[in-house]
């Protein structure tokens, strides 16, 4: 589930500005009936004897070497700080996705357990400063580029973890499952999902004042790199414009360090041809360096939800999001429920608008977000049986609603209370697992 320009017969051929716009419009919203679902789950890797203890690079290297021999259906990748990510293959149903990733996680956990390691579902490392594990030209260049806007980029690279839900773009025609409606819904319902699943209130052993510090880091990186385009009646046009007007993170080289230009947009690059003309491959790579909260990659990748507590906590945001987008009745209910939130955006793109900032800072303590979340969870619970969800999945969503949503809480509140409970920090076992 990645960007691709593989349809181009000559990927190293120089690309022009009109060609970029045409290609982006063609590959990033592939319309049709919503049939598949996927999920990308990121985890912090920790010592079983205490998640606050740092894992040495040597132990991480040995663990990932062992995992490479574990047969998995999902793609296993490593994030720059050593976080583990599993990306499911596109699944024909919610339950197929749940079953595939659950089995893969069982296998991964068993292999890690043999080495005294485990997986921790928190959106932002509460204890450790950013420390890069991967030493590759891509991440050297990314760090150089992101350092220009401050330390948030390193934190995002090395200390964050999320649950990202991948859904088809939707029908070409209007309606609750149309791609224009789904694009709009993702940027408004996204704030509700952010608030409901906020799970990262700590950094450096201290509360940050934000329920989702992970989302705060994305905001701090800046709108050019981690912001959405202005919402437009034509999502393809808006996204193509955003791609062209975003700065180039790096110009890849066959040997030596990659060049990191300052202030060069992809549009400028196509016009100037310096330091060398951009190619189709460069465009494909550029698309992977843009990190909006909703990223069109043929399908829609919803990136706003923190990693969740517990071994199976990731299933709840996957199930709720899938239900609210892929069940027509629930999608219509969600659209009507979140529509009043439009007034709080100030017509600014996510996540740099008041609605998203309030969601990240306050979670469901925000009264309006709380009310909308209650209604959206109710719609999701009605829809899940229609999508073939198992009793276990539906019960997990209902339990989450009862524990958090109805009470105006999110998992971040547990972390803060656990810290207050011992007078310092959430040492030892995650108190919510």
């Amino acid at each position: 589930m990645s960007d691709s320009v593989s349809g181009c017969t000559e990927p190293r051929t120089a690309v022009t500005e009109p060609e970029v716009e045409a290609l982006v419009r063609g590959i990033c919203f592939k319309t049709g009936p919503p049939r598949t679902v996927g999920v990308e789950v990121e985890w912090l890797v920790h010592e079983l004897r205490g998640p606050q203890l740092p894992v040495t690079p040597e132990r991480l290297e040995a663990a990932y070497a062992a995992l490479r021999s574990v047969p998995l259906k999902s793609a296993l990748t490593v994030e720059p700080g050593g976080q583990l990510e599993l990306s499911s293959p596109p699944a024909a149903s919610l339950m197929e996705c749940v079953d595939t990733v659950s089995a893969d996680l069982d296998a991964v956990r068993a292999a890690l357990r043999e080495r005294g390691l485990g997986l921790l579902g928190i959106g932002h490392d509460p204890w450790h400063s950013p420390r890069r594990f991967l030493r590759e030209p891509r991440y050297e260049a990314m760090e150089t580029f992101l350092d220009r806007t401050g330390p948030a980029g390193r934190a995002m690279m090395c200390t964050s973890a999320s649950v990202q839900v991948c859904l088809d773009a939707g029908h070409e025609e209007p309606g609750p499952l149309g791609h224009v409606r789904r694009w709009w819904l993702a940027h408004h319902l996204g704030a509700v999902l952010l608030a409901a699943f906020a799970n990262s209130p700590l950094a450096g052993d201290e509360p940050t004042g934000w329920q989702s510090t992970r989302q705060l880091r994305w905001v701090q990186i800046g709108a050019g790199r981690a912001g959405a385009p202005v919402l437009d009646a034509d999502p393809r046009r808006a996204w193509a414009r955003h791609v062209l007007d975003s700065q180039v993170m790096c110009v890849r080289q066959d040997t030596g360090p990659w060049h990191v230009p300052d202030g060069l947009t992809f549009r400028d690059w196509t016009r100037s041809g310096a330091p060398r003309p951009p190619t189709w491959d460069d465009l494909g790579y550029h698309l992977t360096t843009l990190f909006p909260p909703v990223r069109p990659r043929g399908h829609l990748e919803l990136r706003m939800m923190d990693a969740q507590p517990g071994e199976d906590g990731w299933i709840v945001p996957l199930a709720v999001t899938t239900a609210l987008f892929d069940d027509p009745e629930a999608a219509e209910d969600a659209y009507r429920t979140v529509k009043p939130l439009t007034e709080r955006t100030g017509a600014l793109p996510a996540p740099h608008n008041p609605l998203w900032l309030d969601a990240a800072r306050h979670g469901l303590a925000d009264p309006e977000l709380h009310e909308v979340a209650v209604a959206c969870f109710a719609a999701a619970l009605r829809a899940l049986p229609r999508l073939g969800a198992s009793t276990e999945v539906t019960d997990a969503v209902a339990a989450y609603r009862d524990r958090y949503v109805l009470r105006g809480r999110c998992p971040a509140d547990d972390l803060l209370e656990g810290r207050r409970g011992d007078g310092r920090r959430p040492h030892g076992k995650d108190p919510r697992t």
Side-chain angles (χ1 to χ4, degrees):
M1 306 189 84
S2 61
D3 299 296
S4 174
V5 291
S6 58
C8 304
T9 57
E10 299 181 72
R12 289 186 176 271
T13 301
V15 62
T16 66
E17 182 179 337
E19 288 172 333
V20 170
E21 183 168 4
L23 184 66
V24 170
R25 290 170 69 104
I27 68 172
C28 289
F29 289 88
K30 296 179 180 177
T31 52
R35 291 195 178 102
T36 60
V37 59
V39 68
E40 301 174 17
V41 286
E42 297 172 342
W43 304 84
L44 304 177
V45 180
H46 69 95
E47 296 280 359
L48 285 177
R49 55 200 172 97
Q52 77 280 8
L53 300 174
V55 181
T56 66
E58 294 76 17
R59 280 173 57 70
L60 275 178
E61 185 62 50
Y64 282 119
L67 286 172
R68 283 192 281 271
S69 65
V70 176
L72 303 171
K73 292 183 178 179
S74 303
L76 188 150
T77 52
V78 185
E79 293 297 299
Q83 309 98 305
L84 183 147
E85 179 178 26
L86 282 180
S87 301
S88 73
S93 69
L94 169 63
M95 288 312 304
E96 180 183 321
C97 185
V98 168
D99 291 343
T100 296
V101 177
S102 295
D104 286 345
L105 278 169
D106 287 344
V108 167
R109 286 195 176 96
L112 291 176
R113 194 178 303 115
E114 292 179 358
R115 289 156 183 82
L117 299 175
L119 300 177
L120 185 64
I122 297 180
H124 188 282
D125 193 317
W127 307 287
H128 307 124
S129 299
R131 181 191 62 181
R132 194 146 54 84
F133 170 66
L134 297 180
R135 297 289 172 182
E136 301 172 4
R138 168 184 172 92
Y139 299 117
E140 299 288 346
M142 182 181 290
E143 187 173 272
T144 298
F145 181 92
L146 294 176
D147 278 351
R148 291 170 179 166
T149 56
R154 294 194 182 203
M156 176 275 293
M157 292 171 64
C158 300
T159 61
S160 68
S162 66
V163 176
Q164 300 175 19
V165 178
C166 301
L167 301 168
D168 288 329
H171 290 285
E172 189 68 31
E173 62 268 19
L177 300 186
H179 77 283
V180 174
R181 171 76 70 84
R182 285 161 76 87
W183 179 247
W184 183 94
L185 182 62
H187 287 87
H188 293 83
L189 178 60
V192 182
L193 297 172
L194 163 62
F197 296 108
N199 185 36
S200 52
L202 304 169
D205 284 354
E206 296 293 335
T208 63
W210 294 72
Q211 297 289 70
S212 178
T213 302
R214 173 181 166 273
Q215 186 61 55
L216 170 63
R217 299 298 182 234
W218 286 116
V219 171
Q220 291 170 331
I221 286 170
R225 187 56 45 185
V230 174
L231 288 183
D232 191 298
D234 181 355
R236 291 187 177 97
R237 177 177 58 197
W239 181 245
R241 184 171 58 238
H242 184 74
V243 169
L244 279 162
D245 290 335
S246 295
Q247 291 187 29
V248 174
M249 179 174 284
C250 56
V251 178
R252 296 172 295 167
Q253 309 290 341
D254 291 332
T255 60
W258 294 359
H259 175 56
V260 184
D262 191 359
L264 177 71
T265 67
F266 206 92
R267 191 187 302 275
D268 295 337
W269 194 9
T270 62
R271 293 176 177 180
S272 70
R276 60 165 175 77
T279 67
W280 296 109
D281 274 346
D282 291 320
L283 173 60
Y285 183 80
H286 177 61
L287 290 169
T288 70
T289 68
L290 302 177
F291 308 112
V294 183
R295 184 160 63 174
R297 309 182 72 178
H299 57 277
L300 299 182
E301 182 183 82
L302 280 73
R303 304 168 47 85
M304 69 288 299
M305 290 169 280
D306 286 348
Q308 294 298 291
E311 291 192 354
D312 299 326
W314 58 275
I315 294 175
V316 175
L318 170 63
V320 170
T321 305
T322 303
L324 294 176
F325 277 84
D326 284 3
D327 180 83
E329 183 178 332
E332 187 64 29
D333 288 344
Y335 173 73
R336 292 175 179 172
T337 302
V338 304
K339 198 170 184 179
L341 297 177
T342 305
E343 299 177 1
R344 291 179 60 176
T345 67
L348 297 172
H352 298 81
N353 64 46
L355 173 64
W356 280 69
L357 294 174
D358 286 344
R361 186 187 293 275
H362 303 299
L364 293 187
D366 179 289
E368 189 175 19
L369 286 168
H370 175 218
E371 181 180 358
V372 171
V374 170
C376 285
F377 266 71
L381 282 166
R382 291 192 296 270
L384 283 171
R386 296 193 292 265
L387 293 179
S390 67
T391 301
E392 291 78 11
V393 167
T394 303
D395 287 349
V397 173
Y400 191 98
R401 176 202 58 187
D402 295 345
R403 178 172 181 173
Y404 295 114
V405 179
L406 293 180
R407 301 167 63 195
R409 293 170 57 87
C410 56
D413 292 304
D414 289 350
L415 282 172
L416 291 170
E417 290 178 359
R419 185 181 187 277
R420 288 192 294 268
D422 68 12
R424 298 169 298 161
R425 61 188 75 132
H427 274 214
K429 188 177 185 291
D430 183 346
R432 303 157 302 173
T433 59

